[in-house]
Amino acid sequence: MYCLKLLFSISNFWKSRRLPVLCVDTTAYDPFVDTENPKKSAVFFCDSWYLSHSVFWESLALKNDLPDENFIDIVSYLKNKGMATLRNSSNALSEKVETLFRQIGGLDGQGKENHGMVIEMAFVQIVALINKFMSAWKKNLPKDRYQQILRSTIDKTLKLILSDTLAIQDISAKHSTCLSNNFSLLLDQLSKVRSDDLEEDSDSWVRFKLVIGLMDDSLVKIVEGWENGTLSKYFRSSEIQHLVRALFQNTDKNAALRRRITGDVL
């Protein structure tokens, strides 16, 4: 309703030529922005783009009566406002996801009781939150825009967890199994969220799957994976070396194998 009122207001101003286009009060748009509500942010985005196109075509019909081409400023403003609102809403989701993840207190598990359960509950909450936003966006956004924001959200989430994982100093065999199980559960749940909307796996998705495998692999197999390019395509040598140090004891044999992990492709 507000979009229609603004459109008619602009049209009437142009037809009467009583006011320049830039005098239209676009600041009244601001109260309708709600970045915390995914449905409202999506509807606002679509309305902004619809309105900008309507203003553009209205201006063409009245181009002989317009004093100048300042209507382009209005069109750009509306489009940018819609884009900014959706971007802010996406950022708000990422911030909420990070807050939930940080509440775990790190993935190292050192001296923490029931840490596996804490990680599992945090991942369940993260997936539920992402699913809530995505369900609203999928119903209200154009498909390509929804796919873009879905891919971005999942990538940010996986990069956040990967960053913390690759920084752990020591991972016991028991904790390795715990992380592997929880990471697998997370990917399984995120697969249901993305469904068939994303056909190709992103680099972050592949990296995450590979880390799950590394948690259960022998050092010999990890070195072979590096040398045949399976790992070097997605990781730096320093990342794999650090993870190896965390997973395996620092024996002479292991050190010799670890030295074979060198020469970055990235």
Side-chain angles (χ1 to χ4, degrees), residues 106-125:
L107 295 174
D108 56 16
Q110 296 293 326
K112 300 171 183 175
E113 296 183 4
N114 301 318
H115 196 52
M117 186 177 298
V118 173
I119 295 174
E120 180 181 350
M121 290 303 299
F123 284 176
V124 168
Q125 290 178 306

Side-chain angles (χ1 to χ4, degrees), residues 111 113 168-169 213 240:
E113 296 183 4
I168 300 176
Q169 297 297 321
I240 298 301

Side-chain angles (χ1 to χ4, degrees), residues 154-221:
I154 291 178
D155 275 359
K156 287 180 181 179
T157 301
L158 296 182
K159 285 179 180 178
L160 173 68
I161 300 171
L162 275 172
S163 177
D164 202 78
T165 303
L166 295 174
I168 300 176
Q169 297 297 321
D170 183 56
I171 305 175
S172 66
K174 180 179 180 181
H175 194 57
S176 174
T177 300
C178 168
L179 291 177
S180 177
N181 291 339
N182 278 304
F183 287 177
S184 297
L185 175 64
L186 176 64
L187 273 194
D188 180 63
Q189 294 301 313
L190 287 177
S191 294
K192 295 176 182 178
V193 173
R194 72 176 192 168
S195 186
D196 298 324
D197 294 305
L198 298 179
E199 296 179 358
E200 297 182 1
D201 292 340
S202 67
D203 284 355
S204 295
W205 189 276
V206 176
R207 275 166 57 87
F208 204 82
K209 287 176 66 176
L210 288 172
V211 164
I212 293 174
L214 292 176
M215 294 290 180
D216 299 321
D217 284 344
S218 67
L219 179 52
V220 171
K221 191 172 182 180

Side-chain angles (χ1 to χ4, degrees), residues 69-87:
E69 295 184 354
N70 284 340
F71 69 90
I72 293 178
D73 293 333
I74 299 297
V75 172
S76 297
Y77 170 85
L78 295 172
K79 281 189 175 182
N80 291 338
K81 196 70 173 180
M83 287 289 292
T85 300
L86 190 58
R87 182 170 57 252

Side-chain angles (χ1 to χ4, degrees), residues 218-238:
S218 67
L219 179 52
V220 171
K221 191 172 182 180
I222 292 175
V223 172
E224 290 176 350
W226 178 264
E227 292 178 336
N228 65 29
T230 302
L231 298 177
S232 58
K233 183 179 179 181
Y234 296 99
F235 295 92
R236 295 188 300 273
S237 58
S238 59

Side-chain angles (χ1 to χ4, degrees), residues 15-59:
K15 287 179 180 178
S16 64
R17 300 186 67 175
R18 288 186 293 109
L19 290 173
V21 175
L22 292 181
C23 287
V24 177
D25 183 17
T26 53
T27 59
Y29 224 27
D30 292 340
F32 291 81
V33 180
D34 186 354
T35 58
E36 295 294 322
N37 187 309
K39 180 179 180 179
K40 287 184 178 180
S41 66
V43 171
F44 184 88
F45 169 84
C46 294
D47 284 352
S48 296
W49 278 65
Y50 171 79
L51 180 56
S52 68
H53 284 290
S54 298
V55 168
F56 180 78
W57 289 110
E58 179 75 8
S59 68

